[in-house]
């Protein structure tokens, strides 16, 4: 007998995961957040963009990258021909650390499984890691931005590009040029992988 069970779509998988995770209290950030910031974008995205944690605006609205950093990220994406509707955007931790401090190890440890389940549901081709905290977390290192960016890395089978967090670009506009190089490399890798997939 053929299997007539309807396939679960990626959107349905993500929605189920959101319902499972949105009331998470596995670390202390759960008790100080205004909103759980799950992430948003295209469930079929081939590119997933990962920052470190929500900020004040993100916490208030429950959406990732909606403040000044988010506006700059939108411009960066547009420069390589993408919009927020083409990608999926999320963070290492889903709740805002008080005072926008860096997430702590126990908070990361509690939240990382949610990110890994998001990636499993979406099955992207390439990850874009924004900032040193996100990159150091996934690669479990203390490496500098300079040693991680400018090349294609691999993490758990995903191709990875590391670049500066938009908040860092707002503080230091000189980093916009290397960031531009990084996102062009991301676009080239994406196009290469899509070409390979299409045979």
């Amino acid at each position: 007998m053929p299997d007539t069970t309807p396939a679960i779509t990626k959107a349905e998988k993500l929605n189920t995961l959101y319902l499972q995770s949105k009331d998470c209290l596995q670390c202390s950030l759960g008790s100080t957040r205004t909103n759980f910031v799950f992430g948003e974008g295209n469930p079929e995205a081939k590119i997933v963009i990962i920052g470190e944690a929500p900020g004040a605006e993100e916490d208030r609205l429950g959406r990732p990258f909606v403040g000044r950093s988010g506006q700059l990220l939108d411009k960066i994406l547009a420069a390589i021909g993408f919009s927020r509707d083409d990608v999926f955007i999320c963070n290492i931790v889903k709740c805002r650390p008080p005072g926008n401090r860096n997430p702590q190890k126990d908070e990361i440890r509690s939240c990382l499984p949610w990110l890994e389940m998001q990636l499993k549901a979406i099955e992207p081709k390439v990850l874009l890691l924004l900032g040193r905290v996100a990159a150091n977390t996934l690669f479990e290192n203390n490496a500098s931005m300079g040693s991680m960016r400018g090349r294609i890395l691999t993490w758990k089978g995903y191709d990875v590009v590391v670049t500066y967090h938009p908040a860092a670009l707002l503080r230091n506009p000189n980093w916009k040029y290397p960031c531009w190089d990084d996102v062009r490399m991301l676009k080239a890798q994406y196009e290469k992988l899509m070409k390979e997939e299409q045979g």
Side-chain angles (χ1 to χ4, degrees):
M1 286 287 289
D3 184 3
T4 54
T5 311
I8 300 170
T9 66
K10 292 179 179 182
E12 288 168 333
K13 286 180 187 175
L14 277 180
N15 189 54
T16 298
L17 188 57
Y18 167 72
L19 294 174
Q20 289 170 346
S21 61
K22 69 183 179 70
D23 298 318
C24 177
L25 293 170
Q26 289 180 44
C27 77
S28 61
L29 296 183
S31 61
T32 58
R33 69 176 176 235
T34 302
N35 280 297
F36 182 87
V37 185
F38 180 75
E40 67 180 28
N42 187 344
E44 304 283 340
K46 301 301 181 188
I47 298 172
V48 171
I49 299 171
I50 304 171
E52 61 185 77
E57 276 297 287
E58 290 75 16
D59 181 48
R60 187 173 70 81
L61 297 172
R63 298 178 58 209
F65 286 90
V66 288
R68 286 180 66 218
S69 292
Q71 291 166 12
L72 181 53
L73 177 59
D74 291 348
K75 288 177 183 173
I76 291 167
L77 288 172
I80 55 167
F82 290 108
S83 75
R84 289 175 84 103
D85 295 334
D86 300 313
V87 300
F88 192 88
I89 305 172
C90 57
N91 285 294
I92 298 282
V93 299
K94 312 301 186 193
C95 303
R96 180 196 180 198
N100 288 359
R101 63 161 170 74
N102 288 345
Q104 295 171 349
K105 284 185 179 173
D106 64 311
E107 295 159 356
I108 290 167
R109 200 166 41 245
S110 297
C111 221
L112 211 48
W114 296 127
L115 174 65
E116 291 180 350
M117 285 187 275
Q118 285 177 310
L119 295 175
K120 193 175 176 186
I122 298 166
E123 300 178 300
K125 293 286 187 187
V126 193
L127 308 181
L128 176 63
L129 304 187
L130 300 178
R132 190 176 162 191
V133 172
N136 288 162
T137 296
L138 292 195
F139 287 109
E140 298 180 45
N141 65 23
N142 200 30
S144 67
M145 282 297 292
S147 67
M148 292 185 287
R149 55 159 299 276
R151 58 202 174 99
I152 304 294
L153 303 171
T154 305
W155 177 78
K156 296 196 173 185
Y158 300 105
D159 285 356
V160 179
V161 173
V162 175
T163 196
Y164 296 98
H165 194 286
L169 299 179
L170 291 170
R171 290 192 300 269
N172 190 336
N174 292 336
W175 289 341
K176 287 183 179 178
Y177 295 104
C179 177
W180 173 235
D181 290 339
D182 295 336
V183 295
R184 281 190 303 177
M185 180 176 64
L186 170 84
K187 177 76 180 283
Q189 185 68 6
Y190 162 82
E191 288 177 341
K192 176 184 163 216
L193 292 170
M194 293 307 291
K195 201 171 181 181
E196 286 172 3
E197 189 178 76
Q198 288 155 12

